[in-house]
Amino acid sequence: MPGMARKSRSTLTRAFYSPKGAQYTADGLRARWGRWLAGTPEGRVICRRWKEWVGAQVKKYDWDIDPDDADHPTIHGLRGTGILARSEEGYEVDQIANDIGMSRQNVEHYMRFRDQMKVGADGQKRLRLVNKED
């Protein structure tokens, strides 16, 4: 996606800037993201892969959502999704922190979702085993 992320040394916040150098508003960034997803081959690939992933998660975890309604990833979930995707690929916490530009503690904060999903999946397996023996 065009634009740059700049990190302010004084506030340690991130801001995204348009190709013209203006800071994006929240609505402007969401609109740019939507145009990029719909208007580029890379964006369409991401949307296709997103729908496939959501469909697999619905089946795996019995989520109560319609995968057809989840046609694209939102900006809100990108940071956490990037962290969890790297973890699934075998990256260590320090590698992820370096790649994403976050502290180790922040990466570990997001990693708790991976652990919660694993606990939930393991619990479902145990329940299925109990039901099969009855």
Side-chain angles (χ1 to χ4, degrees):
M1 189 167 121
M4 296 180 2
R6 296 184 188 160
K7 191 171 182 179
S8 165
R9 290 188 181 135
S10 61
T11 60
L12 295 178
T13 59
R14 292 195 182 267
F16 288 91
Y17 293 84
S18 73
K20 295 180 181 178
Q23 187 171 341
Y24 278 112
T25 63
D27 289 339
L29 184 59
R30 273 191 294 278
R32 180 71 178 212
W33 173 245
R35 287 192 306 271
W36 183 82
L37 287 173
T40 65
E42 297 89 348
R44 289 188 289 275
V45 167
I46 286 173
C47 289
R48 180 183 50 78
R49 291 182 63 199
W50 173 257
K51 284 183 77 81
E52 291 169 0
W53 179 84
V54 169
Q57 298 308 301
V58 166
K59 289 177 184 172
K60 184 175 181 180
Y61 297 109
D62 197 29
W63 286 355
D64 188 24
I65 62 170
D66 183 355
D68 292 331
D69 291 340
D71 58 353
H72 66 278
T74 64
I75 287 178
H76 175 75
L78 286 180
R79 185 169 42 188
T81 301
I83 289 169
L84 295 176
R86 282 176 173 78
S87 173
E88 289 283 321
E89 292 172 5
Y91 285 77
E92 297 294 324
V93 171
D94 289 328
Q95 290 173 302
I96 297 168
N98 185 57
D99 290 349
I100 303 279
M102 288 183 144
S103 70
R104 185 178 218 291
Q105 292 81 9
N106 278 348
V107 171
E108 288 171 339
H109 172 79
Y110 281 96
M111 298 284 277
R112 78 184 193 282
F113 295 114
R114 175 204 62 190
D115 299 335
Q116 289 170 352
M117 290 177 75
K118 183 177 180 342
V119 167
D122 290 348
Q124 283 183 339
K125 287 178 190 173
R126 284 194 299 277
L127 287 173
R128 286 187 195 120
L129 288 175
V130 169
N131 287 335
K132 287 181 181 180
E133 293 176 4
D134 289 342

